[in-house]
């Protein structure tokens, strides 16, 4: 994959070979992430912590039940896993935690 000028479309990523369906060609870590949603979400990865809507009972078989891990100090920040909680505590959450 390289950056190239595509006539009539501007700059973009262009593959030098055929890509397989689902093949990962680029990954990056977000510098900043924010959610403006009113729905509950993981404060680290922004994954939804909402349960399947009750008006769509068939959705529950494809909608994983959320696992909620609150910050043990402030209890306000919610995380989808112990991994996300640990990552947040080790990097930035101690600055944001309202418990101190």
């Amino acid at each position: 994959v390289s950056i190239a000028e595509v006539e009539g479309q501007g700059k973009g990523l262009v593959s030098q070979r055929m890509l397989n369906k689902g093949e990962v060609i680029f990954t990056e870590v977000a510098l900043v992430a924010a959610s403006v949603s009113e729905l509950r979400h993981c404060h680290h990865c922004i994954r939804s912590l909402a349960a399947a809507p009750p008006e769509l009972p068939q959705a529950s078989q494809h909608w994983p039940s959320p696992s909620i891990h609150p910050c043990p100090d402030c209890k306000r920040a919610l995380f989808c896993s112990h991994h996300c909680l640990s990552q947040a505590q080790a990097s930035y959450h101690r600055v944001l935690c309202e418990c101190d």
Side-chain angles (χ1 to χ4, degrees):
V1 178
S2 61
I3 297 174
E5 184 78 28
V6 179
E7 189 173 325
Q9 297 181 2
K11 283 188 177 180
L13 293 177
V14 179
S15 175
Q16 305 301 314
R17 63 177 177 79
M18 291 299 294
L19 299 172
N20 296 317
K21 182 178 179 180
E23 182 178 355
V24 176
I25 59 169
F26 182 75
T27 59
E28 68 179 335
V29 176
L31 180 60
V32 175
S35 174
V36 293
S37 172
E38 300 274 326
L39 297 175
R40 294 189 326 170
H41 61 277
C42 176
H43 282 228
H44 185 68
C45 72
I46 319 238
R47 177 178 176 241
S48 173
L49 296 177
E55 63 274 11
L56 298 173
Q58 67 277 18
S60 63
Q61 58 187 299
H62 303 289
W63 195 306
S65 295
S67 174
I68 300 174
H69 300 262
C71 167
D73 297 319
C74 70
K75 310 281 191 266
R76 293 182 48 148
L78 304 174
F79 301 92
C80 68
S81 65
H82 182 69
H83 174 77
C84 278
L85 170 60
S86 297
Q87 291 288 308
Q89 287 178 321
S91 53
Y92 61 87
H93 184 64
R94 59 194 155 116
V95 175
L96 302 173
C97 190
E98 298 173 358
C99 193
D100 295 336

